């Protein structure tokens, strides 16, 4: 309960309050969804977007400004949640926040081998900007989805 209180105090004094609150509730929703559909990947993939397509490489400056705010909100909130909010949750939250403003984005899923262990990663690109999860360097892209 202490972490929720700290989070609420943080949000109270932020200038991006509505965006942070949306990110908080979306991260809870997507985390629950991932746990619920972990055995049914096709059901989960339906929510990712259109498979195999990418968003445009160029966007107007206003889009990049909003994408930067989304990146800040997602990374700030997801690093403070009581539940686990790793790259897939962060990517889905960022994609949803961008989609709400009708901004195109691409969700990438990738994997790599590390010490005989397969590691998965998800990241989001909007125009030339990587909003969440870095640029996927070191990961082989397995799938890509554009927000619809």
């Amino acid at each position: 309960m202490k972490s929720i209180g700290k989070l609420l105090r943080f949000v109270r004094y932020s200038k991006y309050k509505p965006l942070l609150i949306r990110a908080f509730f979306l991260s809870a929703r997507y985390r629950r969804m991932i746990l619920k559909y972990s055995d049914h990947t096709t059901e989960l993939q339906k929510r990712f977007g259109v498979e195999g397509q990418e968003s445009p490489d160029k966007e107007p400056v206003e889009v990049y400004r909003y994408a930067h705010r989304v990146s800040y909100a997602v990374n700030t909130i997801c690093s403070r949640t009581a539940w686990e909010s790793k790259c897939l949750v962060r990517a889905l939250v960022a994609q949803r926040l961008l989609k709400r403003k009708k901004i195109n984005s691409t969700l990438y899923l990738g994997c790599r081998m590390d010490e005989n262990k397969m590691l998965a990663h998800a990241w989001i690109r909007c125009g030339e900007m990587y909003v969440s999860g870095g640029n996927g360097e070191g990961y082989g892209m397995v799938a890509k989805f554009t927000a619809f």
Side-chain angles (χ1 to χ4, degrees), residues 20-37:
L20 289 166
I21 292 169
R22 273 191 212 101
F24 177 78
F25 285 109
L26 285 172
S27 69
R29 175 182 172 200
Y30 284 123
R31 179 62 183 156
R32 194 178 113 244
M33 186 179 72
I34 288 169
L35 292 174
K36 181 179 178 182
Y37 295 121

Side-chain angles (χ1 to χ4, degrees), residues 4 11 23 28 31-32 37-38 50 52 62 72 87 93 96 100 103 121 136 139:
I4 300 275
V11 169
R31 179 62 183 156
R32 194 178 113 244
Y37 295 121
S38 63
V50 180
E62 299 81 36
Y72 169 78
C87 59
V93 171
R96 178 65 181 202
R100 187 172 183 275
I103 296 174
H121 187 51
Y139 290 88

Side-chain angles (χ1 to χ4, degrees), residues 13 18 24 28 38 44 49 68-69 85 87 115 117 123 129 140 143:
Y13 298 110
F24 177 78
S38 63
L44 190 58
H68 182 67
R69 281 184 249 148
S85 297
C87 59
E115 298 176 12
K117 240 172 121 174
W123 62 99
M129 179 182 177

Side-chain angles (χ1 to χ4, degrees), residues 88-110:
L88 184 58
V89 172
R90 291 174 189 228
L92 290 171
V93 171
Q95 184 183 44
R96 178 65 181 202
L97 290 172
L98 291 168
K99 182 181 169 187
R100 187 172 183 275
K101 294 285 187 178
K102 296 180 174 50
I103 296 174
N104 294 320
S105 64
T106 304
L107 167 70
Y108 296 97
L109 302 175

Side-chain angles (χ1 to χ4, degrees), residues 53-147:
Q53 295 184 7
E54 287 192 86
S55 58
D57 289 338
K58 299 283 183 185
E59 293 289 346
V61 174
E62 299 81 36
V63 169
Y64 291 123
R65 285 187 187 128
Y66 185 74
H68 182 67
R69 281 184 249 148
V70 166
S71 178
Y72 169 78
V74 168
N75 291 320
T76 300
I77 288 296
C78 288
S79 65
R80 290 174 167 82
T81 56
W83 53 88
E84 190 176 79
S85 297
K86 291 192 176 179
C87 59
L88 184 58
V89 172
R90 291 174 189 228
L92 290 171
V93 171
Q95 184 183 44
R96 178 65 181 202
L97 290 172
L98 291 168
K99 182 181 169 187
R100 187 172 183 275
K101 294 285 187 178
K102 296 180 174 50
I103 296 174
N104 294 320
S105 64
T106 304
L107 167 70
Y108 296 97
L109 302 175
C111 63
R112 72 173 182 186
M113 290 298 289
D114 189 34
E115 298 176 12
N116 296 327
K117 240 172 121 174
M118 184 174 283
L119 301 175
H121 187 51
W123 62 99
I124 288 282
R125 180 186 59 80
C126 173
E128 297 175 339
M129 179 182 177
Y130 290 95
V131 179
S132 177
N135 62 2
E137 188 176 322
Y139 290 88
M141 185 179 46
V142 176
K144 57 186 171 186
F145 302 86
T146 188

